[in-house]
Amino acid sequence: MSGFFWILLQVSILSRVRHPHLVTLLGACSESSTLVYEFLPNGSLEDFLMCLDKRQTLTWQARIRIIAEICSALIFLHKNKPHPVVHGDLKPANILLGVNLVSKLSDFGISRLLIQSSTNNTTLYRTMHPVGTPLYMDPEFLSTGELTPQSDVYSFGIVVLRLLTGKPPVGIKKIVEDAMEKGDLNSVIDTSVGEWPHLLIEQLAYLALRCTELSRRCRPDLSGEVWAIVEAIRDATLSSPSSSRSAQDQNSPPSYFICPISQVSRK
């Protein structure tokens, strides 16, 4: 895809949609094939997941919040009127983190507006040359060239597995499946982010594996079953005492912005 048409595509998509967890397009320059987005100071989710020395990490509470934020953004895209929007390249590198690690979905370079077929009443985009990031791509999209909202569901499941385990995407589904069959899911969970509640990781792992079913007909609907589970987990996490303390710490200004007298009085 040429730079000019790539810009036109992203502008056509982002000019139609506005959501708190979609990156905001500020402008474009066709001469230099450049798009200008809002600045998100904390890089991408991939930066955090691949930080080998763990200097940067995301607590399990933050990871659950990000899962909920991205799920809500995808539902918004898929419910867009008059035509649904499928992202097509969901992965941690395309999830940017702003202030207080609020996540926003970016890079709509291969997104598509789905036009409903008049013959079978379905919405999909068909191509002879599927593009995207193979390790996150819907296997049915790769084999048939049919891009549907369920293609994003598959990618979402892989992202959830990465947030749970902290592992690279290669073979991640098989790793989690094997651990669950052995009843040893804790052995593959990323413990560097704090102590995950056992019931919570089982729910998320099971949900993610259902999202990554090879057949898109077997995958759950994002706006129905998936959101119901994700929203309940998010709400339970936000109401926990440890999450409240974490949120207060994130929202507090640095100590050097606080009057020394106030700091003394607070201690």
Side-chain angles (χ1 to χ4, degrees):
M1 183 184 298
S2 70
F4 176 73
F5 286 107
W6 177 78
I7 283 181
L8 284 182
L9 179 58
Q10 296 220 43
V11 170
S12 68
I13 298 292
L14 289 172
S15 62
R16 287 175 164 88
V17 295
R18 291 288 186 274
H19 187 272
H21 300 296
L22 296 178
V23 69
T24 301
L25 178 66
L26 301 179
C29 177
S30 58
E31 288 81 2
S32 59
S33 298
T34 302
L35 294 172
V36 181
Y37 295 105
E38 63 177 311
F39 176 64
L40 296 170
N42 283 308
S44 73
L45 181 58
E46 184 72 16
D47 296 334
F48 282 83
L49 293 176
M50 294 305 293
C51 186
L52 298 180
D53 60 7
K54 300 299 182 182
R55 285 177 300 172
Q56 297 185 72
T57 191
L58 293 165
T59 65
W60 64 267
Q61 294 95 333
R63 295 184 186 208
I64 289 171
R65 177 176 50 76
I66 289 171
I67 289 171
E69 290 170 351
I70 297 307
C71 185
S72 70
L74 289 174
I75 291 171
F76 175 79
L77 290 175
H78 296 171
K79 297 294 184 181
N80 182 65
K81 301 296 182 182
H83 305 301
V85 177
V86 62
H87 186 278
D89 195 19
L90 177 65
K91 57 184 177 180
N94 287 339
I95 298 172
L96 304 183
L97 301 174
V99 177
N100 293 334
L101 302 177
V102 172
S103 61
K104 297 199 176 190
L105 188 53
S106 70
D107 196 348
F108 288 73
I110 65 169
S111 297
R112 291 293 184 271
L113 293 171
L114 301 184
I115 309 301
Q116 183 165 304
S117 168
S118 58
T119 57
N120 56 13
N121 200 37
T122 59
T123 52
L124 57 83
Y125 169 82
R126 184 177 282 110
T127 177
M128 296 295 293
H129 306 286
V131 294
T133 306
L135 292 172
Y136 296 89
M137 286 175 69
D138 173 12
E140 284 204 8
F141 177 42
L142 283 170
S143 62
T144 67
E146 293 179 356
L147 185 65
T148 75
Q150 291 302 101
S151 301
D152 282 344
V153 175
Y154 182 91
S155 305
F156 175 75
I158 298 294
V159 171
V160 172
L161 291 178
R162 289 209 60 196
L163 284 165
L164 273 174
T165 66
K167 298 181 183 298
V170 181
I172 194 170
K173 181 181 178 183
K174 183 70 163 54
I175 290 172
V176 175
E177 284 176 333
D178 290 346
M180 290 190 75
E181 287 180 4
K182 296 174 183 175
D184 191 22
L185 187 56
N186 284 327
S187 66
V188 298
I189 296 302
D190 188 354
T191 57
S192 70
V193 302
E195 187 175 349
W196 296 78
H198 182 68
L199 178 60
L200 183 151
I201 60 175
E202 283 193 336
Q203 289 177 315
L204 282 176
Y206 178 71
L207 182 65
L209 291 178
R210 290 200 57 215
C211 288
T212 54
E213 289 282 357
L214 293 181
S215 171
R216 61 172 174 251
R217 293 182 178 85
C218 297
R219 298 171 202 154
D221 179 61
L222 276 185
S223 62
E225 181 182 351
V226 175
W227 179 247
I229 295 172
V230 168
E231 184 182 36
I233 291 174
R234 180 203 62 188
D235 292 348
T237 301
L238 291 175
S239 64
S240 68
S242 59
S243 179
S244 298
R245 287 194 298 270
S246 176
Q248 289 172 1
D249 291 342
Q250 282 190 354
N251 292 326
S252 297
S255 59
Y256 46 80
F257 284 138
I258 302 175
C259 171
I261 297 176
S262 299
Q263 291 188 56
V264 171
S265 64
R266 295 197 309 173
K267 294 181 179 179

